[in-house]
Amino acid sequence: MNAAAIKSAYLAPEGLQETLIKGLDGVIAVHDRLVFSSQPPQDTCWAQNIWRNPQAHRINSISDAAKKLRAMQQNWCLYSYRLHRRAQLILEKLPAVKCAPLSFPSSVSPPPLGSFTLLDENTLLASAECSSRFPNGEVHFVEDKVGPPNRAYLKLYEALTLAAAAPRPGDFCIDAGGSPGGWAWVIHRCGAEVLSIDRAPLASSVAELRGVSFQKRDAFTLLPAEFQAQGRRVDWLFADVICYPEKLYQWITKWVAAGICANFICTIKFKGEPDRATVAKFSAIADSRVLHLFHNKNELTWFKLNSPVA
Ligand SMILES: C[S@@+](CC[C@H](N)C(=O)[O-])C[C@H]1O[C@@H](n2cnc3c(N)ncnc32)[C@H](O)[C@@H]1O
């Protein structure tokens, strides 16, 4: 492979290489989870990290590689698929990057982070510009093994951290598909009021929290008219419902059209192959974006933040 032909690179989430590759143009090589393309950076939602300007550099030693990287910028992370020891020795010669788990909520805005790998013993591929400021797109948090009823809270920690926004005291939130209550627990921690909707009950430890209420019903019967009639605004609509993406899309567009909700964070879940047509429809909703979070499995997260409230 001609290293100069690499114009962009994509790190797939664990187990999702095929899903990533199917949506990319110009794939010229795949090394474990790292995919090289001969095309300029593409805005895929299936990459954990996108290397936007990868450049190949001839190196004659470990020190030479570290010197070349330092000349480009300060902070680097390594994704190595071969020559692991040599690559690691290069990394050790670079300024240490802080990667301690984050405490939620975190106001820390990590500095820009480049990524590098070794194509062969004497060729370094380095991208000073990457889509994620977390090493290889991995966002780790200090875990709470006592409070939340499941691990879903980590997904919302990550979504809110990337959004650099969170429900505030006084905010009213809807949490569709909220049981057993990991997300409701996070919203409560943020100090906001939350109405969880699910066919299954919340864990009692969450149901008992102040500011948490629950309705046992089909989330898709919850429509903006119910709130418009009471003159209520909704600050955040969260949805983590197991359903077909199209069903979620049909429901969410009613909420977007009503203009009474400021912020949305919803997971789009797939059974097997992703429904790319519906993902494209979500992406086309104004001022919104779709991402694959580190804590997402075979699902994506749709964000629409701070839309004007009617
Ligand atoms: C992945 S779990 C949600 C986990 C939750 N976010 C948490 O933090 O604990 C998906 C939930 O969707 C609920 N669900 C599926 N279809 C639903 C529907 N039509 N209406 C309401 N809830 C539904 C399931 O009962 C399940 O509790």
Side-chain angles (χ1 to χ4, degrees):
M1 185 191 50
N2 171 12
I6 303 170
K7 297 289 181 251
S8 56
Y10 306 81
L11 186 65
E14 289 280 354
L16 291 174
Q17 290 94 319
E18 286 308 312
T19 303
L20 168 68
I21 290 165
K22 273 190 194 156
L24 284 179
D25 291 333
V27 172
I28 46 177
V30 180
H31 297 288
D32 297 341
R33 292 193 288 130
L34 192 59
V35 180
F36 296 146
S37 166
S38 59
Q39 299 300 307
Q42 298 154 57
D43 198 12
T44 173
C45 51
W46 286 105
Q48 198 160 289
N49 197 12
I50 302 175
W51 299 18
R52 294 198 170 117
N53 62 350
Q55 283 165 15
H57 301 264
R58 188 94 190 132
I59 52 162
N60 51 37
S61 68
I62 288 164
S63 301
D64 184 37
K67 194 171 143 207
K68 286 192 164 119
L69 287 166
R70 276 200 305 269
M72 280 182 262
Q73 70 170 36
Q74 177 161 342
N75 296 310
W76 290 94
C77 84
L78 164 68
Y79 179 81
S80 81
Y81 61 88
R82 58 179 313 202
L83 298 162
H84 301 290
R85 177 84 186 125
R86 187 169 171 81
Q88 189 60 38
L89 289 171
I90 296 171
L91 186 67
E92 284 167 16
K93 285 196 172 288
L94 296 169
V97 171
K98 271 197 194 152
C99 52
L102 296 175
S103 294
F104 180 86
S106 167
S107 54
V108 175
S109 173
L113 183 65
S115 297
F116 74 93
T117 194
L118 286 177
L119 298 179
D120 60 46
E121 208 173 315
N122 298 108
T123 315
L124 173 76
L125 186 77
S127 175
E129 199 191 324
C130 289
S131 63
S132 177
R133 290 188 173 208
F134 295 91
N136 294 321
E138 297 184 10
V139 192
H140 294 280
F141 292 95
V142 175
E143 296 199 12
D144 187 326
K145 303 218 187 285
V146 180
N150 59 2
R151 294 180 60 77
Y153 74 101
L154 291 167
K155 203 160 55 176
L156 192 53
Y157 271 9
E158 182 179 356
L160 294 172
T161 300
L162 296 185
R168 288 180 300 201
D171 280 357
F172 172 67
C173 310
I174 293 171
D175 172 32
S179 292
W183 286 28
W185 178 85
V186 174
I187 298 163
H188 165 82
R189 264 202 73 192
C190 293
E193 186 191 336
V194 53
L195 168 63
S196 272
I197 310 286
D198 206 297
R199 287 172 166 154
L202 283 177
S204 56
S205 59
V206 178
E208 286 160 7
L209 295 171
R210 196 160 167 218
V212 174
S213 56
F214 175 75
Q215 287 181 15
K216 182 171 162 49
R217 68 191 262 196
D218 176 356
F220 299 112
T221 64
L222 189 79
L223 296 173
E226 225 172 279
F227 295 85
Q228 281 167 314
Q230 302 163 24
R232 287 193 84 176
R233 73 197 166 97
V234 177
D235 298 292
W236 291 81
L237 194 162
F238 296 99
D240 194 24
V241 183
I242 296 173
C243 65
Y244 287 109
E246 180 63 27
K247 181 151 192 174
L248 179 68
Y249 177 79
Q250 293 300 334
W251 181 66
I252 221 67
T253 47
K254 290 179 188 151
W255 279 92
V256 172
I260 62 160
C261 180
N263 304 285
F264 298 80
I265 293 183
C266 306
T267 45
I268 310 170
K269 297 174 186 289
F270 308 103
K271 230 186 199 176
E273 276 295 294
D275 171 355
R276 291 178 196 268
T278 305
V279 172
K281 291 203 284 185
F282 270 100
S283 299
I285 295 175
D287 304 318
S288 82
R289 62 180 311 204
V290 179
L291 292 176
H292 186 275
L293 306 183
F294 175 57
H295 290 95
N296 280 148
K297 296 196 173 81
N298 191 20
E299 61 185 10
L300 295 166
T301 301
W302 176 72
F303 296 76
K304 181 171 167 61
L305 303 170
N306 288 326
S307 57
V309 178

